[in-house]
Amino acid sequence: MAFSTNGSEESELYHAQIHLYKHVYNFVSSMALKSAMELGIADAIHNHGKPMTLSELASSLKLHPSKVNILYRFLRLLTHNGFFTKTTVKSNEEEETAYGLTPSSKLLISGKSTCLSTLIEGALHASSIDMWKSSKKWFNEDKEQTLFECATGENYWDFLNKDSESGTLSLFQDAMAADSRMFKLALHENKNVFEGLESLVDVAGGTGAVTKLIHEAFPQIKCTVFDQPQVVGNLTGNENLNFVSGDMFKSIPPADAVLLKWVLHDWNDELSLKILKNSKEAISHKGKDGKVIIIDISIDETSDDRRLTELQLEYDLVMLTMFLGKERTKQEWEKLIYDAGFSSYKITPISGFKSLVEVYP
Ligand code: SAH
Ligand code: HMK
């Protein structure tokens, strides 16, 4: 009886349909956000100093008149999604709508330490998106490789490091640095984690964005940023901040503390264990007083905030498809930490969706 279902079955069907369509078209909201970033809408409003009308925005962005209505349509979705506010202003006796910034679109203002534009550009870069066309092939192939390798024949790190793709490597490093600068607030809320340290090595620390924050807050700590030669080879520091190149799978320079931010999620358990064991070796001269500080996601499937868990699980698939890495639950962190020979740990949630894990020998 296809057309005579009762009310609740109908509403269940409608909800199911909306739910499915919503997930099918999620990518449109991602891409509209990327367009807003590329157009520089947030910068225009920020530089204007107050909300802007559609025509003010269009002329500030130097859009062709035929694109003004297109801009309106993008703004309508982005406003609905919480990226812009809408207020009414009077111009020449006529009421007009003006668009303002929200806390989320303020993260698109360039030049600010909280700017996340390069993260949007990197995460939605063709190199991260195009591989999904091969996901069916990936499932059907009897080969241990990432989705990225299945689609391109190349390991993602090799792709980043290739000379001709150096634009993507610097985009990747800029995106990591942008994320790392967001750590400033969490650092000030967790000063005790770093107090008393004489030296710290930021392993796979990229271009050193986190270390620079730590160095600012604790200038007496001798900080080392350790990463691959193609990342840190040409960087120079100062007396208490130096760059060392090497391979964390071989050995890690000694320090009172090892920092691993957004590193272990790039690797499977076997390789993560190797990194943790090398970290343990690097702090061994301090005996029980050394520590490893991990900053990564700790998946919380019981959180009341469904969006937070969704983001963590999405990151897990990003790590799986690009690196055969993973985001870990508290239980998985515990197992990895004890398997590496450490005796205790403490997890503190920071900056929204990540956690800080202090690990002791
Ligand atoms: N910790 C930084 C960067 C994380 S991205 C941050 O949070 O901003 C992962 C980093 O791992 C990259 O900078 C990459 O160059 C580095 N990396 C990958 N393989 C490595 C290896 N074998 N030894 C040292 N660093 C490595
Ligand atoms: C996937 O790779 C990583 C990210 C995301 C990602 C790896 C990490 C942490 C975050 O950010 O989606 O350890 C970027 C991504 C940035 C990028 C990118 C991919 O710049 C170019 O490609």
Side-chain angles (χ1 to χ4, degrees):
M1 294 270 270
F3 297 109
S4 65
T5 50
N6 70 31
S8 88
E9 269 179 51
E10 247 169 44
S11 94
E12 188 179 276
L13 181 64
Y14 292 156
H15 274 109
Q17 184 193 27
I18 291 170
H19 184 70
L20 185 142
Y21 280 32
K22 170 80 190 82
H23 281 270
V24 169
Y25 292 105
N26 269 346
F27 81 94
V28 177
S29 285
S30 303
M31 292 305 166
L33 175 61
K34 181 168 175 250
S35 301
M37 180 272 289
E38 287 168 347
L39 282 167
I41 299 177
D43 281 336
I45 300 174
H46 176 68
N47 294 336
H48 192 67
K50 59 176 196 228
M52 291 172 93
T53 64
L54 182 64
S55 54
E56 284 171 338
L57 250 180
S59 72
S60 157
L61 301 175
K62 301 193 172 55
L63 292 186
H64 187 270
S66 67
K67 301 289 184 206
V68 176
N69 194 45
I70 296 180
L71 177 65
Y72 164 71
R73 307 269 286 278
F74 273 67
L75 284 169
R76 186 165 63 176
L77 174 64
L78 288 161
T79 301
H80 180 81
N81 284 353
F83 288 98
F84 298 102
T85 59
K86 243 167 76 169
T87 49
T88 308
V89 291
K90 259 212 163 86
S91 69
N92 311 326
E93 293 307 303
E94 270 187 54
E95 298 220 317
E96 259 194 283
T97 297
Y99 297 89
L101 297 173
T102 67
S104 297
S105 52
K106 285 182 184 161
L107 302 177
L108 304 180
I109 300 172
S110 51
K112 285 213 175 187
S113 64
T114 49
C115 179
L116 288 177
S117 294
T118 52
L119 185 97
I120 300 177
E121 194 182 340
L124 297 178
H125 188 260
S127 59
S128 306
I129 306 285
D130 292 353
M131 61 181 183
W132 286 92
K133 69 179 184 292
S134 301
S135 58
K136 193 171 167 198
K137 178 173 161 227
W138 189 44
F139 271 103
N140 290 318
E141 264 182 13
D142 181 19
K143 227 181 185 181
E144 186 171 312
Q145 62 177 358
T146 62
L147 173 59
F148 185 85
E149 269 174 290
C150 176
T152 65
E154 196 174 24
N155 171 291
Y156 192 74
W157 296 113
D158 294 340
F159 161 78
L160 279 185
N161 291 332
K162 258 194 332 209
D163 273 344
S164 62
E165 300 292 347
S166 56
T168 323
L169 177 61
S170 56
L171 173 60
F172 183 82
Q173 290 301 343
D174 290 350
M176 297 305 119
D179 176 78
S180 290
R181 282 189 295 268
M182 298 288 290
F183 180 62
K184 190 167 181 158
L185 183 61
L187 176 67
H188 287 272
E189 288 169 349
N190 293 279
K191 280 197 151 175
N192 58 314
V193 174
F194 299 89
E195 259 150 19
L197 297 175
E198 278 172 29
S199 58
L200 173 135
V201 57
D202 182 4
V203 172
T207 50
V210 171
T211 307
K212 283 177 193 155
L213 294 177
I214 295 171
H215 177 66
E216 265 170 37
F218 301 95
Q220 72 287 1
I221 302 181
K222 223 178 145 27
C223 293
T224 302
V225 182
F226 180 72
D227 206 294
Q228 306 186 90
Q230 59 274 29
V231 178
V232 292
N234 294 324
L235 301 177
T236 47
N238 58 41
E239 200 192 325
N240 266 353
L241 195 166
N242 72 317
F243 292 89
V244 173
S245 59
D247 180 353
M248 63 186 167
F249 294 106
K250 295 207 169 100
S251 78
I252 292 172
D256 290 1
V258 164
L259 175 66
L260 293 162
K261 178 188 162 279
W262 254 8
V263 177
L264 297 175
H265 74 166
D266 292 339
W267 307 96
N268 64 22
D269 286 345
E270 188 193 335
L271 292 166
S272 292
L273 262 183
K274 181 79 195 149
I275 299 169
L276 277 176
K277 284 179 179 166
N278 287 350
S279 301
K280 192 160 178 275
E281 185 60 39
I283 58 169
S284 60
H285 65 280
K286 285 296 279 187
K288 286 276 168 205
D289 291 331
K291 72 163 127 176
V292 176
I293 303 159
I294 301 170
I295 299 174
D296 241 320
I297 284 173
S298 177
I299 298 176
D300 180 4
E301 283 178 278
T302 62
S303 165
D304 293 335
D305 186 348
R306 289 188 58 84
R307 282 176 325 149
L308 176 82
T309 310
E310 183 181 343
L311 174 62
Q312 295 178 332
L313 297 174
E314 285 166 347
Y315 251 103
D316 181 54
L317 285 206
V318 172
M319 293 306 132
L320 172 68
T321 54
M322 297 185 70
F323 307 107
L324 290 180
K326 67 199 280 198
E327 302 301 351
R328 296 175 167 92
T329 60
K330 182 173 182 288
Q331 290 74 17
E332 288 174 308
W333 279 116
E334 181 172 297
K335 179 166 185 343
L336 195 68
I337 288 165
Y338 290 154
D339 284 355
F342 291 94
S343 67
S344 64
Y345 72 96
K346 180 181 162 207
I347 299 192
T348 314
I350 54 156
S351 75
F353 72 106
K354 290 187 206 126
S355 290
L356 187 151
V357 193
E358 292 167 85
V359 184
Y360 302 98

